[in-house]
Amino acid sequence: MTAFVLVSGPFTGGEVWREVAARLEESGAEVYPATLTGLGERREEAGPDTGLETHIEDVVRLIDGVAATELVIVGHDYGIHPVLGAADRRPERIARIVYLDAGLPQDGDAAVQLVPDEEVRRQLLDPADRDGGTGWIDPPAADGWQRWGSTAGLSEEALARLTGLASPQPSATFTQPLRLSGALATVPTSGIFCTESGMSIAKLEGLMTLGMPQFKALADSRVSFFDLDTGHWPMLSRPDELAELLLGAAAGEGHRLAAAPAQELPGYLRPFVLDVPEQTRERIGRVDLYLPADPNGAGAAGADLASAAGATDTAAAPRPAVLFVHGGPVPETVRPTPRDWTTYVGYGRYAASQGVIGATLDHRLHSLADYPLAAADVAEAVELLRADPRVDGDRIALWFFSGGGPLSADWLSAPPSWLRCLAVTYPILAPLPGWQGVDSRFRPVDALAGAGRLPVVLTRVGLEVTEIAATVEEFVAAAEARDTDLQVIDVPHGHHGFDTVDPTDESRAAVEQAVRSVLGHL
């Protein structure tokens, strides 16, 4: 017999699953809706130490009390954190884990990282402001649920019921990190996307084409996906359909993602489109510097830049510099790290061959919650670069790629005088569907209001992922409306990552034009 353990998102307990549980029981399954410590009728059980660990123990006890051998455990939103923590301790008991409109937390992640409401997230992350000192986070009022997820599909009656069932939640359940041992690696999983929340199977497959390593594990025969056309609370908006999908997941049904050919290199490790000579590379902490050779042997651009420096000893003249900022998020365990990817090695070498100092860095954008940390790393790299005596600190360009695009917002919003140009290549310029928890600070479209006459060079590809292309279109429209000094370089037949995945004359010409344009502003 199949048994389901159902763990809901924040502020709610087992009662929210009533209709889904009834439908599953009609099919012959056992159902165990969870009400975790501190929620609903169990609020009085919460103490000052109630946190994620408490909720994990709640779910472990539920698992231990189920006799059925086919156990499917479902985590909705926040509920996936205690679900994964409990399943990690009882992997032999779990037939399948279902992620219901939930994130993909990893070891060390805290639920606060995926809280969609920016103000609540900031309060939780700031000990001085956390929950007003009460130790509890209050649920939203009836008109505030959309700040926690799409309310599409919820009738007025269902929304009132959700509000009536909700209770405050201990704040430490959001802030304690999830600890996983790796025991879940072989446990089958299913994901159910509530499409009105912004993610779907089709959108995931589009993002898969980027070749990022965190997506590889999803292309596995043990992983399946379903779409459900509703908002973030399907147990209230589409309970019958949700129950059918849960039964399908338990039976091993669902859409499988296609894996890349086993021998195929990821795009970021394929050869750079330009055949560039090796250059002297110097590693300083997180930053690599690519240093020009003797200026007498540099290209035309290098000679021009050396001349512009106004020094009689051009070999010793400080040079302009370009800092190349990689995309992401990139899991911390990925090797080689981005500054050793052929893309960034290629750009660094090419810049040096043209007479400027090319710089790359490994910033710490390992998850969507890490944009502030990565921004600090970029700022630190800029200061290191400008302080180097070989660098003309008043002639710097910053160049952002892919998921590094949001990091450009800080520099667009208040460009310093030494920043002569900002470039973005196949960039993500606004949070993508499902990117909950990204601070509104990292929206380059909004940051354009402060850009003034800062030159911006945008390289966009014609075969871009639809969701990314939409952010680029919004950026271009905003730039035109604000009369931003924007140059657009189009690669009509290029894909995301064209500078390694599309070795064509069109790609080579686009890279050369972009570099020429950026250097022209230095």
Side-chain angles (χ1 to χ4, degrees):
M1 177 181 290
T2 299
F4 291 88
V5 170
L6 308 176
V7 185
S8 58
F11 314 118
T12 56
E15 178 61 21
V16 78
W17 298 101
R18 185 176 63 197
E19 288 81 6
V20 174
R23 176 67 184 85
L24 293 173
E25 287 171 346
E26 288 173 7
S27 74
E30 294 180 4
V31 186
Y32 299 88
T35 296
L36 304 174
T37 300
L39 299 174
E41 67 273 15
R42 298 191 61 191
R43 175 164 184 178
E44 298 304 319
E45 299 176 30
D49 297 327
T50 298
L52 175 60
E53 181 64 26
T54 311
H55 286 179
I56 290 172
E57 292 172 357
D58 289 341
V59 180
V60 168
R61 281 192 293 271
L62 253 180
I63 292 171
D64 289 345
V66 176
T69 56
E70 192 78 9
L71 180 56
V72 177
I73 186 166
V74 181
H76 167 247
D77 192 299
Y78 161 79
I80 198 64
H81 288 259
V83 158
L84 292 176
D88 184 73
R89 300 179 190 183
R90 300 290 189 272
E92 73 286 351
R93 293 294 324 280
I94 310 301
R96 184 168 293 269
I97 299 170
V98 178
Y99 294 72
L100 176 55
D101 219 31
L104 292 169
Q106 305 298 310
D107 177 55
D109 290 347
V112 65
Q113 295 169 346
L114 293 179
V115 170
D117 186 89
E118 187 174 328
E119 183 58 32
V120 173
R121 192 168 65 250
R122 284 177 175 167
Q123 290 176 5
L124 285 165
L125 289 170
D126 183 357
D129 194 29
R130 184 174 299 164
D131 57 50
T134 66
W136 297 81
I137 295 296
D138 289 327
D143 60 355
W145 282 101
Q146 72 276 4
R147 299 172 70 186
W148 289 83
S150 169
T151 56
L154 286 177
S155 65
E156 290 187 11
E157 180 183 4
L159 188 58
R161 182 178 165 210
L162 175 61
T163 305
L165 291 173
S167 62
Q169 180 157 334
S171 58
T173 61
F174 291 101
T175 57
Q176 283 185 354
L178 175 65
R179 295 303 177 194
L180 301 174
S181 69
L184 299 178
T186 61
V187 175
T189 62
S190 292
I192 298 178
F193 295 123
C194 295
T195 57
E196 291 294 332
S197 293
M199 184 55 75
S200 66
I201 294 171
K203 291 177 179 179
L204 176 60
E205 289 183 321
L207 295 174
M208 288 277 292
T209 65
L210 304 184
M212 296 307 294
Q214 61 263 48
F215 293 129
K216 285 183 178 180
L218 302 182
D220 186 300
S221 61
R222 294 167 295 192
V223 181
S224 66
F225 294 93
F226 302 84
D227 281 343
L228 184 54
D229 186 19
T230 191
H232 188 56
W233 287 273
M235 64 285 290
L236 296 175
S237 61
R238 301 283 293 275
D240 289 344
E241 293 89 339
L242 175 57
E244 288 298 324
L245 294 188
L246 292 176
L247 291 169
E253 299 171 0
H255 180 84
R256 262 72 178 181
L257 301 176
Q263 301 303 316
E264 186 175 329
L265 276 175
Y268 56 86
L269 292 181
R270 297 176 198 171
F272 190 55
V273 291
L274 298 181
D275 184 13
V276 292
E278 289 196 24
Q279 303 288 332
T280 300
R281 177 165 69 162
E282 187 174 301
R283 180 156 289 187
I284 308 172
R286 292 194 186 94
V287 178
D288 282 1
L289 300 181
Y290 291 85
L291 305 173
D294 184 331
N296 296 322
D304 291 343
L305 287 163
S307 175
T312 56
D313 180 7
T314 55
R319 304 297 187 99
V322 183
L323 177 63
F324 300 98
V325 181
H326 69 78
V330 179
E332 190 172 3
T333 56
V334 167
R335 294 294 181 274
T337 58
R339 61 175 161 179
D340 286 326
W341 293 359
T342 53
T343 302
Y344 305 107
V345 171
Y347 277 100
R349 287 177 174 175
Y350 188 46
S353 76
Q354 299 303 299
V356 305
I357 293 176
T360 61
L361 81 152
D362 282 336
H363 57 71
R364 291 170 289 176
L365 181 61
H366 303 311
S367 74
L368 293 175
D370 289 335
Y371 273 101
L373 187 61
D377 290 342
V378 173
E380 181 182 283
V382 167
E383 290 307 308
L384 182 150
L385 196 58
R386 296 188 66 227
D388 194 300
R390 295 165 294 187
V391 173
D392 183 344
D394 290 326
R395 291 195 290 169
I396 304 292
L398 300 178
W399 197 324
F400 301 85
F401 294 78
S402 188
L407 296 170
S408 68
D410 284 351
W411 308 97
L412 286 168
S413 63
S417 60
W418 49 259
L419 181 59
R420 300 300 183 90
C421 180
L422 187 146
V424 286
T425 292
Y426 42 85
I428 296 171
L429 294 171
L432 297 177
W435 279 29
Q436 296 177 336
V438 176
D439 196 305
S440 61
R441 160 188 167 192
F442 299 104
R443 281 185 55 85
V445 171
D446 297 339
L448 279 172
R453 298 304 299 167
L454 174 69
V456 179
V457 177
L458 163 65
T459 304
R460 64 182 178 187
V461 293
L463 302 178
E464 183 59 277
V465 176
T466 302
E467 290 70 34
I468 297 177
T471 74
V472 175
E473 291 172 10
E474 184 183 6
F475 183 87
V476 171
E480 291 174 349
R482 297 186 180 280
D483 196 28
T484 303
D485 184 3
L486 175 68
Q487 178 185 1
V488 179
I489 299 171
D490 281 311
V491 192
H493 303 97
H495 297 81
H496 196 95
F498 76 94
D499 34 26
T500 56
V501 301
D502 298 318
T504 65
D505 288 342
E506 179 184 77
S507 296
R508 285 183 278 274
V511 171
E512 290 170 345
Q513 183 183 356
V515 171
R516 190 163 55 247
S517 296
V518 170
L519 267 55
H521 292 295
L522 292 175

